Amino acid sequence: MSKLRAAITGVGGYVPDYILTNKELEKLVDTTDEWILTRTGIRERRLLKNPGEGTSNIAIHAVNELLKKTNTNPDEIDLLICCTTTPDYVFPATGNLLCDMAGLKNAFSYDLNAACSGFIYGLVTGSQFIESGKFKKVIVVGGDKMSSIINYEDRTTCIIFGDGAGAVLLEPDTSGHGVMDSVLKTDGSGAKYLCMKAGGSRKPASLETIAAKEHYAYQEGATVFKFAVTNMADVSAEIMRRNNLTSNDVAWLVSHQANKRIIDATADRMGLDDKKVLINIDRYGNTTNGTIPLLLWDYEKKFKKGDNVVMAAFGGGFTWGSVYLKWAYDPK
């Protein structure tokens, strides 16, 4: 019998219906379809337009699909971790709302905020509850309504982000599959380069912060790009070294979808062929916590039991990391 590990046993996902194309953005800011596509790899992104709806209204679709696909009774879920940068409220936690919406009567929940690295942080955290033997079924949700904090007059951010969510079910595995290893990093000195300047306890909302448009995402693109290229590639290479993996051993790179050039740099550092690199940034843009689970959702039918999968992410703050897992089931 192998070591007890946490395996992904199902995936759910959801993106809103409204499609914001590069052509439409040409009408909002000084940009072109070619400029956006060349520099980011993005053609379009999805937005939640329904008034009064937040991240929970996106994520609940992913959770419900996950429960249905895995034939899981909501009462069986022990824990739900909601990884998000755009919670419905400061409190209560969006995870609490999701438990109520999905009828998870026996689960406890909490939110985890690590910007774009949130989902892999949550995946590793959820895995610990499984590996300890405390819980049998854990849902990890990654989702964001980024359109709620984007200034559509700011070319540096509005071309990048979209809305979406994905969710996975973690269950115990003793057959050699599941989360095998992880490398997680943080560097708070990067906070000033990618952040939302106001709205927290340090700088509460006021007429002045609203007038200064400090409740939108702020990014110094060149600095963030340089940090992301270096650090995401570094941890991906490190996790391969730690586990004696060659490029031939890795079946798939499931990378955060922030910029196609960052993804390519990570794949190059790992020595991976383009065919092993999963991409959906062209259709969804950067959905922050949603990118990695949405990739799993989009490409689920390509995965085969035993596949070596490397996940990698980089987020504001700065946060970054990589996860190595062995896929636990064949597509249906």
Side-chain angles (χ1 to χ4, degrees):
M1 181 180 292
S2 298
K3 176 184 175 181
L4 176 64
R5 300 185 187 278
I8 292 176
T9 58
V11 183
Y14 178 78
V15 290
D17 293 333
Y18 184 86
I19 299 173
L20 177 63
T21 66
N22 290 347
K23 286 293 185 183
E24 189 172 348
L25 279 171
E26 289 180 353
K27 303 173 184 177
L28 301 177
V29 291
D30 181 17
T31 191
T32 66
D33 174 57
E34 181 184 9
W35 191 93
I36 298 171
L37 187 59
T38 301
R39 285 161 179 78
T40 67
I42 302 170
R43 296 181 184 275
E44 59 189 38
R45 65 290 291 146
R46 302 296 188 98
L47 304 186
L48 180 65
K49 288 283 197 174
N50 302 339
E53 293 192 354
T55 295
S56 67
N57 300 101
I58 302 171
I60 188 59
H61 291 282
V63 172
N64 285 339
E65 183 190 43
L66 175 66
L67 293 170
K68 182 177 180 180
K69 283 171 62 177
T70 58
N71 195 29
T72 300
N73 186 318
D75 290 343
E76 297 179 282
I77 301 300
D78 300 301
L79 165 65
L80 181 144
I81 303 173
C82 179
C83 311
T84 186
T85 306
T86 54
D88 286 30
Y89 306 105
V90 173
F91 70 92
T94 302
N96 293 14
L97 304 179
L98 287 172
C99 282
D100 181 57
M101 295 163 80
L104 309 184
K105 302 297 184 184
N106 297 316
F108 86 98
S109 64
Y110 56 86
D111 287 1
L112 188 157
N113 182 357
C116 297
S117 304
F119 179 78
I120 63 170
Y121 276 35
L123 185 68
V124 173
T125 304
S127 296
Q128 308 307 305
F129 285 97
I130 298 289
E131 291 178 12
S132 71
K134 187 171 182 63
F135 293 144
K136 300 295 185 185
K137 293 181 186 290
V138 174
I139 291 176
V140 182
V141 189
D144 276 294
K145 183 187 175 184
M146 290 303 294
S147 61
S148 67
I149 59 168
I150 295 301
N151 178 3
Y152 286 92
E153 297 176 350
D154 177 9
R155 187 176 71 168
T156 63
T157 55
C158 73
I159 66 171
I160 297 170
F161 293 98
D163 303 339
V168 300
L169 178 64
L170 294 176
E171 295 186 272
D173 184 283
T174 55
S175 63
H177 302 93
V179 176
M180 311 297 284
D181 195 13
S182 62
V183 179
L184 303 178
K185 303 280 188 177
T186 296
D187 181 359
S189 68
K192 60 187 176 183
Y193 302 114
L194 180 52
C195 64
M196 192 168 78
K197 295 181 178 180
S201 60
R202 181 177 291 192
K203 200 171 188 181
S206 66
L207 292 176
E208 289 75 18
T209 63
I210 293 171
K213 300 183 178 180
E214 292 183 329
H215 296 270
Y216 295 119
Y218 169 80
Q219 174 173 272
E220 292 186 20
T223 303
V224 173
F225 179 86
K226 183 165 65 173
F227 269 84
V229 165
T230 301
N231 290 309
M232 207 162 83
D234 282 351
V235 290
S236 300
E238 180 181 348
I239 206 138
M240 290 177 68
R241 287 194 304 272
R242 282 169 47 147
N243 293 278
N244 298 313
L245 296 172
T246 68
S247 57
N248 291 329
D249 298 322
V250 177
W252 306 106
L253 171 62
V254 181
S255 172
H256 173 54
Q257 306 287 290
N259 185 297
K260 180 65 163 54
R261 292 182 294 168
I262 298 173
I263 299 167
D264 290 344
T266 301
D268 288 344
R269 180 74 177 277
M270 297 169 68
L272 296 185
D273 185 273
D274 287 347
K275 294 179 181 178
K276 294 184 174 184
V277 182
L278 303 185
I279 299 289
N280 62 13
I281 189 174
D282 54 323
R283 291 178 290 124
Y284 303 149
N286 181 353
T287 55
T288 305
N289 286 277
T291 62
I292 288 178
L294 281 173
L295 278 174
L296 299 178
W297 178 60
D298 266 351
Y299 291 95
E300 184 183 14
K301 292 189 182 304
K302 286 185 174 289
F303 297 127
K304 298 206 169 29
K305 189 174 183 177
D307 279 353
N308 289 318
V309 178
V310 174
M311 299 176 177
F314 183 89
F318 289 128
T319 61
W320 68 100
S322 184
V323 172
Y324 162 44
L325 65 84
K326 276 190 176 291
W327 196 251
Y329 62 96
D330 288 319
K332 297 179 181 179

